[in-house]
Amino acid sequence: MSEYGLIGKPLSHSFSKIIHEKLADYTYELMPLDEEDLDYFLRQKDFKGINVTIPYKKTVIPYLDFIDENAKAIGAVNTIVNRDGKLYGYNTDYDGFDYMIQHHHVPIQNQKVLVLGNGGAAAAIKAVCRNHNAKQILCVSRHPKDDAISYKEVYTSHCDANIIINTSPVGMYPHIDEQAVDLNDFPKCKAVLDVVYNPICTKLCLQAREKGLLYATGMEMLIVQAIRAKEHFLQDTTPQKVIDQILFDLLMEKTNLVFIGMPSCGKSTIGKKVAQLSQKKFIDLDDEIEKEAKKTIPEIFAESGEVVFRELETKVTKRISANQNLVIACGGGIIKNKINIDMLRLNGILIFLDRDLNLLESNDPNRPLSSSQKAVEDMYHQRMPYYLQYSDIQIVNNTNLNKISQTSIQKVKDHIQDLICTGGKTI
Ligand SMILES: Nc1ncnc2c1ncn2[C@@H]1O[C@H](COP(=O)(O)OP(=O)(O)O)[C@@H](O)[C@H]1O
Ligand SMILES: O=C(O)C1=C[C@@H](OP(=O)(O)O)[C@@H](O)[C@H](O)C1
Ligand SMILES: [Mg+2]
């Protein structure tokens, strides 16, 4: 039996082991536990500290000798410490969300807050909002019970909400193209927070980003709740720079690096090198399209035309974008459908490789749209505004391939660092 770990069911998608083992010297195990084994586990007390997740955050309470005030008010415990045979319970989801609010300067005082979802996380978040003196807190559920309201009621009476917080699984992997509400219906909304961390930036947060609203994504809350749990386990404190470092490491590890740019600008070649250097898996969307169609790209264009090619491109982009820790080389025309960009942004940073027009290839039979110098030139001028608008990072690729690959990684690191430092916006 490990001294530290996580109990719950299921646990296969949990990041807790990765985070705790970055944080402390102890080993931390995921311990999937069936209902019938919970009683024995908590009576044996064969652990120093555990985290508790769905579905046991309430069930564990009767076993505790001491329960912290916030956890009591929330009615849920996610951290249990065994001190000399006595069990102490805390709720560090509260701390994680409280950190998010303060770190991003989200104005809660006197604001009308909508909390989407009515599960365990919602209870902790409502407590934080109450303590930050929200004017009104409305919990929204697809199956409203207790004091929750329905989505229909939101749309008839509460479109004047100022802050929207998603605690529901809508938008979570694998349903990454869903969002619980459309922000266009909430003209007074100032900030959006999402507790979902897979994808890194949910569709809801992406919409907030595009509207220029304050937004924050779930990875930070996840990390801080783990850090506060570790502090209870070891009775220590954690410097801000450690919090930032773990967030940086996790974002570097999980984020997809997505190369866009003109045909033959170097996306596939540099993408492969960057994947090796960053220990990420490399995916070429053009290869995926060929596998999907069981034809080469020139064959698809010749037999079915560009429209069919673009449909295949979008289908493959949706599938690949749901995964993390990839380097993705796109085809040059990926920017022709905004939906592709929306999908790639959920887990990715978009890097525009800008190669001089006179260095781009034409008359290449493998690139049906680059049939002549004139065709390439027209395409370059037409597409340039989109490459610029959709990319997070721009890199001129006119020099040595290895150097450009290293520059790409450095620029990604700088970009992630900037996102963490600004505090106002997170991917
Ligand atoms: N910086 C560079 N130096 C030398 N050759 C390059 C450079 N960037 C790209 N190339 C070459 O250009 C060609 C097209 O590159 P590729 O990676 O297939 O482009 P894309 O995937 O963007 O269409 C390849 O032969 C590649 O080696
Ligand atoms: O620019 C385009 O519209 C295309 C670029 C190609 O990929 P590369 O950019 O890797 O050549 C390939 O997806 C297809 O021929 C269409
Ligand atoms: Mg390519």
Side-chain angles (χ1 to χ4, degrees), residues 6-59:
L6 172 69
I7 61 165
K9 195 181 70 166
L11 298 179
S12 50
H13 285 102
S14 172
F15 289 179
S16 289
K17 183 176 164 64
I18 306 175
I19 299 172
H20 276 271
E21 293 191 347
K22 281 183 198 292
L23 265 174
D25 282 338
Y26 52 66
T27 54
Y28 185 101
E29 296 305 330
L30 302 182
M31 308 184 221
L33 204 62
D34 286 327
E35 261 106 301
E36 56 269 29
D37 300 326
L38 186 70
D39 181 72
Y40 179 78
F41 180 86
L42 291 168
R43 287 186 193 285
Q44 275 304 102
K45 304 181 188 176
D46 191 13
F47 56 81
K48 286 189 178 165
I50 49 163
N51 288 123
V52 183
T53 187
I54 292 168
Y56 304 132
K57 287 187 185 185
K58 286 186 198 303
T59 336

Side-chain angles (χ1 to χ4, degrees), residues 2 27 79 93 151 215 229 265 268 275 282 293 299 308 319 321 356 405 427:
S2 175
T27 54
T79 301
D93 291 330
Y151 280 90
Y215 73 98
C265 73
S268 301
F282 176 71
E299 280 167 357
V308 168
R319 173 165 58 78
S321 299
D356 264 13
S405 306
I427 62 162

Side-chain angles (χ1 to χ4, degrees), residues 191-425:
V192 173
L193 297 105
D194 205 321
V195 308
V196 172
Y197 54 85
N198 183 3
I200 296 169
C201 184
T202 57
K203 208 173 164 205
L204 183 69
C205 278
L206 206 57
Q207 194 185 21
R209 166 177 152 179
E210 287 188 354
K211 291 175 87 65
L213 304 179
L214 183 61
Y215 73 98
T217 65
M219 195 79 92
E220 221 170 358
M221 177 170 165
L222 177 78
I223 289 170
V224 176
Q225 67 75 28
I227 288 176
R228 299 296 179 240
K230 182 270 305 184
E231 291 172 351
H232 287 301
F233 294 160
L234 303 182
Q235 295 196 288
D236 65 1
T237 55
T238 316
Q240 180 66 41
K241 69 173 193 306
V242 173
I243 303 180
D244 291 346
Q245 184 65 45
I246 291 184
L247 182 56
F248 176 85
D249 289 349
L250 213 61
L251 286 174
M252 267 311 281
E253 190 177 315
K254 301 290 174 192
T255 301
N256 296 336
L257 312 184
V258 182
F259 285 95
I260 62 170
M262 283 289 287
S264 83
C265 73
K267 303 178 294 292
S268 301
T269 315
I270 289 168
K272 250 178 241 156
K273 284 184 187 289
V274 166
Q276 267 173 359
L277 288 171
S278 59
Q279 290 170 331
K280 290 177 184 283
K281 187 175 167 198
F282 176 71
I283 298 277
D284 199 310
L285 289 186
D286 283 343
D287 293 347
E288 296 300 314
I289 293 167
E290 291 188 333
K291 276 191 246 166
E292 175 82 26
K294 299 190 180 71
K295 287 178 193 168
T296 65
I297 287 178
E299 280 167 357
I300 303 169
F301 270 84
E303 292 170 23
S304 316
E306 184 173 349
V307 173
V308 168
F309 174 82
R310 296 293 167 211
E311 283 167 9
L312 281 165
E313 187 174 51
T314 295
K315 184 176 176 197
V316 164
T317 303
K318 275 190 184 170
R319 173 165 58 78
I320 297 296
S321 299
N323 303 297
Q324 299 183 331
N325 199 12
L326 302 176
V327 173
I328 303 173
C330 301
I334 197 82
I335 44 89
K336 288 184 113 175
N337 286 316
K338 172 71 174 13
I339 176 94
N340 298 336
I341 302 301
D342 291 343
M343 289 291 144
L344 289 163
R345 279 178 169 167
L346 298 173
N347 282 310
I349 291 177
L350 273 65
I351 307 163
F352 168 35
L353 280 182
D354 187 8
R355 191 157 167 80
D356 264 13
L357 186 51
N358 60 17
L359 296 174
L360 296 175
E361 290 171 4
S362 53
N363 302 312
D364 176 353
N366 291 320
R367 294 189 165 88
L369 297 181
S370 304
S371 52
S372 66
Q373 182 67 29
K374 168 88 170 60
V376 174
E377 254 179 57
D378 288 349
M379 200 155 50
Y380 184 90
H381 295 301
Q382 213 175 49
R383 290 181 178 180
M384 185 55 72
Y386 296 99
Y387 292 136
L388 288 171
Q389 186 192 337
Y390 294 150
S391 54
D392 301 296
I393 293 171
Q394 297 84 31
I395 298 174
V396 175
N397 173 31
N398 294 335
T399 55
N400 174 284
L401 279 168
N402 287 326
K403 221 166 127 185
I404 301 294
S405 306
Q406 275 156 6
T407 305
S408 304
I409 293 182
Q410 189 53 50
K411 287 213 172 197
V412 166
K413 287 184 178 168
D414 294 346
H415 182 75
I416 290 181
Q417 200 67 61
D418 277 358
L419 290 168
I420 292 171
C421 289
T422 48
K425 290 185 174 150

Side-chain angles (χ1 to χ4, degrees), residues 62-74:
Y63 296 88
L64 304 174
D65 299 290
F66 164 86
I67 175 164
D68 156 90
E69 279 306 311
N70 280 336
K72 203 180 284 174
I74 295 163

